[in-house]
Amino acid sequence: MLDLQRLNAQDLQGLSPSSLAEVAAQMLTRIGEQSQQLDERNKQIASQAQAIKFKDVKIERITFELSRLKANRFGAKTERMDAEQRQMFEDALAEDQASLEAQLLALQGERGQTPAPPPDEKTKSKPRRQTLPDHLRRVEYRHEPENTTCECGQAMARIGEDITEKLDIVPAEFFVHRHVRGKWACKCCQTLVQQPVAPQIIDKGMPAPGLIAHVLVSRFVDHLPYYRQEDINARSNVHTPRSTLASWSGQGGAALQPLFDMHREFILGADVLHADETPVRLLDPGAGKTKRAYVWAYARSAFDALPGVAYDFCLGRGGKYAVEFLGRWSGTLVRDEFAGYESVVKLHDRKAAGCLAHARRKFDELIKDNQSPVALQAVQRIAWIYRIEREVQSLSATERLAVRQSRSKPLWEEMHVWLQLERQRVPNGSGIAGAIDYSLNHWAALSANLRDGNVPVDNNHCENQMRPWAVGRKSWLFAGSELAGQRAAVVMSLVVSAKLSGRDPWAYLKDVLTRLPTQPNSRIDELLPHLWTPPA
């Protein structure tokens, strides 16, 4: 084989035709390899450029959102609010600002940029942090280098230490993590050795993961507004202003976003999904009042061995929000007969399953008003079907379907014929006619459980997952901003799913917030609610 690196023009003149052909073949091969390498390098450069462009756009959007939040905070429109609305608005802004700043710092770190302080904090001095009360129990941790011998062979001398205190909480008890990091130096080499500070969700902040988890659980599980949490903490002589609690909540919610994105993929991995929506009030600072927004819930089947629910905070109730959330998911969607779902089930070979509880409810309302004896018979027939459902609840999908085919199907067919006959006897426009029409018009969806053992007869499982929002509405009254609603959806998706898996929400969040800063991306799925195991 000829060495192309050492050939020159004179050498080529003395080569035979066969050798020249060999040289030409080698050159073509080498040119092809170099061309392939250039193509791969160009693809890498293009991919990196696209990633940089995406992050630049995201940084620009977050920076704009921060500017807009500050403009809203000091704008004249806030004067239209009453004291309670203004304070809720301030809390939401504190959460939003902390969340956006945490995302901005993360993006700047990925870009290799030095994080710049927000514009209004370059010249403004930060308030001095109050020292933690002396009466709190201290749990002390000693961090010393494994090797205190310098590279020159001399033994290092301990010259001091740095002490960092993190405020934490065991429910009903505040205590302080006292981290003592010894400083070791070699007088000969002027070398200093000290254990590094462990990564935290809130870098250089006072709260430990357990306290951040406590604030989130108090807010989104126990539905305690920040001013109530402030008063509760004050009883332990711990000063935590509501603005500080809101900031911790915002940063904690931002840290959970990547885990929520993976949890959403887990939910959409089910073949059978429940869907439901409920209204919440959203503060409109421009109008000085609230407007209606919606929380959508998507839960895995009530029969699924791995339970879970994901919430989506949206500005409306249109089917486009469900279409966007579900993406290209295909399977059976258990829902009520709200018209917005019609556009959802038509996509990607999806199947619709109805809710027998909704059909029963229409008959039950007539019974309470003593308007129709036919309604009582309809409720009794539905009760026979539910009695069988209670018996097959613990069976496998195959066994459940077999029982439904042998015992439930005849009841469904008999009720269908009975409803058709009764519809001919009742007057048009009456309440019982409307109740019967609801069942007959949606009979295929209502009886979908006869074709799939994994499909429940109703949507009660998903409606039960809406209860935390219904309870929360009575406590916090309304969401302070769209970002606050989206962050609440993230946190509540994880903690409610943890409860469905039999986990304590505080213990779950505490461990997740402790491990997230150092958890490899390839193993972040270990922190999902259905896969998480309590630390030993």
Side-chain angles (χ1 to χ4, degrees):
M1 175 100 35
L2 296 174
D3 188 355
L4 297 179
Q5 298 288 344
R6 299 189 181 186
L7 284 177
N8 52 40
Q10 295 178 352
D11 295 333
L12 290 174
Q13 293 176 357
L15 292 176
S16 63
S18 59
S19 299
L20 285 172
E22 181 182 353
V23 170
Q26 292 183 33
M27 292 180 66
L28 289 174
T29 301
R30 186 171 182 182
I31 291 173
E33 293 174 350
Q34 292 177 344
S35 176
Q36 184 177 1
Q37 293 174 358
L38 286 174
D39 290 340
E40 293 176 354
R41 188 173 301 174
N42 289 336
K43 290 180 181 178
Q44 292 177 356
I45 293 173
S47 176
Q48 292 173 354
Q50 184 68 20
I52 291 173
K53 182 179 179 181
F54 173 79
K55 290 178 181 178
D56 286 340
V57 171
K58 200 168 184 180
I59 288 174
E60 181 180 353
R61 181 180 62 81
I62 292 176
T63 304
F64 170 76
E65 285 289 332
L66 283 171
S67 301
R68 187 178 63 83
L69 285 175
K70 291 165 186 174
N72 284 340
R73 170 173 289 181
F74 303 108
K77 293 179 179 179
T78 59
E79 298 301 323
R80 303 180 188 177
M81 308 178 193
D82 57 33
E84 183 179 7
Q85 288 178 332
R86 189 178 299 110
Q87 188 57 64
M88 177 68 76
F89 182 59
E90 289 289 332
D91 291 345
L93 281 179
E95 290 183 12
D96 296 344
Q97 182 173 344
S99 176
L100 290 172
E101 287 177 354
Q103 296 178 48
L104 184 59
L105 288 174
L107 287 171
Q108 289 175 338
E110 292 176 3
R111 287 291 313 276
Q113 299 175 349
T114 301
D120 61 337
E121 295 186 4
K122 292 182 179 178
T123 56
K124 185 178 67 174
S125 59
K126 294 184 178 180
R128 185 175 180 181
R129 181 185 298 164
Q130 294 184 357
T131 57
L132 297 174
D134 293 333
H135 72 277
L136 297 180
R137 176 172 61 92
R138 258 69 176 175
V139 179
E140 191 165 291
Y141 306 85
R142 291 281 176 176
H143 307 275
E144 303 293 347
E146 295 180 359
N147 185 7
T148 57
T149 301
C150 185
E151 293 180 357
C152 68
Q154 295 288 332
M156 294 182 176
R158 202 174 194 274
I159 60 172
E161 60 188 22
D162 287 336
I163 298 177
T164 303
E165 293 192 335
K166 296 280 187 181
L167 184 64
D168 202 348
I169 184 174
V170 171
E173 179 196 7
F174 284 93
F175 67 97
V176 177
H177 292 287
R178 186 179 177 90
H179 296 269
V180 181
R181 298 183 298 113
K183 299 167 67 176
W184 294 77
C186 177
K187 296 181 179 179
C188 175
C189 301
Q190 298 297 312
T191 301
L192 177 68
V193 177
Q194 188 179 36
Q195 285 290 89
V197 178
Q200 299 286 329
I201 289 294
I202 301 179
D203 194 24
K204 299 181 181 179
M206 178 174 63
L211 181 56
I212 302 174
H214 177 72
V215 173
L216 292 173
V217 169
S218 297
R219 172 73 170 175
F220 298 112
V221 177
D222 301 325
H223 310 292
L224 293 176
Y226 294 125
Y227 75 90
R228 293 184 188 173
Q229 295 188 47
E230 179 183 357
D231 293 340
I232 292 171
N233 296 344
R235 293 199 292 265
S236 298
N237 294 325
V238 175
H239 180 58
T240 54
R242 57 193 300 178
S243 60
T244 300
L245 295 172
S247 178
W248 293 349
S249 179
Q251 294 179 76
L256 293 172
Q257 181 66 49
L259 189 60
F260 169 79
D261 293 339
M262 185 168 287
H263 176 69
R264 175 179 176 273
E265 295 302 318
F266 161 69
I267 296 298
L268 296 182
D271 294 328
V272 177
L273 279 183
H274 295 260
D276 199 14
E277 75 290 331
T278 190
V280 294
R281 304 306 301 175
L282 173 64
L283 185 63
D284 185 2
K289 58 184 180 181
T290 61
K291 59 183 180 181
R292 175 170 287 195
Y294 284 86
V295 172
W296 294 68
Y298 304 91
R300 293 171 71 96
S301 171
F303 299 123
D304 204 310
L306 298 176
V309 60
Y311 299 108
D312 189 26
F313 184 88
C314 301
L315 297 180
R317 197 190 182 193
K320 64 179 182 179
Y321 298 103
V323 170
E324 181 180 355
F325 185 91
L326 294 175
R328 300 193 63 81
W329 172 82
S330 62
T332 302
L333 188 67
V334 185
R335 80 289 178 269
D336 55 34
E337 298 303 330
F338 167 54
Y341 289 115
E342 292 181 5
S343 60
V344 180
V345 297
K346 291 179 180 178
L347 300 174
H348 309 297
D349 195 29
R350 293 169 183 162
K351 301 175 184 177
C355 178
L356 185 58
H358 274 76
R360 180 191 182 281
R361 207 167 294 158
K362 296 185 178 297
F363 292 112
D364 188 61
E365 291 172 354
L366 296 175
I367 294 175
K368 292 177 180 178
D369 295 336
N370 295 318
Q371 292 188 10
S372 173
V374 177
L376 179 59
Q377 298 182 44
V379 170
Q380 291 174 344
R381 290 177 179 274
I382 293 174
W384 296 340
I385 295 174
Y386 270 107
R387 190 175 296 114
I388 298 174
E389 284 300 310
R390 285 193 293 270
E391 296 175 9
V392 302
Q393 187 173 6
S394 60
L395 302 180
S396 67
T398 303
E399 295 171 336
R400 188 181 304 115
L401 182 60
V403 174
R404 286 174 175 173
Q405 287 289 322
S406 62
R407 297 176 56 190
S408 298
K409 188 175 180 179
L411 297 177
W412 280 92
E413 293 174 344
E414 182 180 341
M415 183 168 63
H416 191 208
V417 174
W418 176 79
L419 287 173
Q420 290 174 326
L421 292 174
E422 291 296 331
R423 181 62 183 87
Q424 298 174 8
R425 300 173 182 173
V426 299
N428 293 332
S430 62
I432 187 61
I436 294 176
D437 285 342
Y438 179 91
S439 295
L440 292 178
N441 292 339
H442 306 108
W443 192 259
L446 288 173
S447 58
N449 62 91
L450 298 177
R451 299 182 290 274
D452 188 346
N454 283 320
V455 175
V457 296
D458 57 39
N459 201 27
N460 287 350
H461 174 64
C462 195
E463 291 184 0
N464 290 337
Q465 310 318 314
M466 283 299 192
R467 289 181 181 176
W469 291 92
V471 174
R473 281 191 303 239
K474 298 179 181 179
S475 300
W476 36 258
L477 302 181
F478 48 78
S481 70
E482 183 180 356
L483 279 174
Q486 293 169 351
R487 186 168 45 254
V490 168
V491 178
M492 291 184 69
S493 297
L494 296 174
V495 295
V496 173
S497 295
K499 292 175 67 175
L500 288 174
S501 296
R503 308 302 187 190
D504 173 54
W506 176 82
Y508 168 72
L509 277 187
K510 176 182 182 296
D511 186 57
V512 166
L513 293 174
T514 300
R515 295 165 58 183
L516 263 180
T518 58
Q519 187 80 359
N521 289 334
S522 59
R523 295 175 52 195
I524 196 173
D525 60 310
E526 296 176 2
L527 304 181
L528 291 173
H530 66 286
L531 295 178
W532 178 78
T533 54

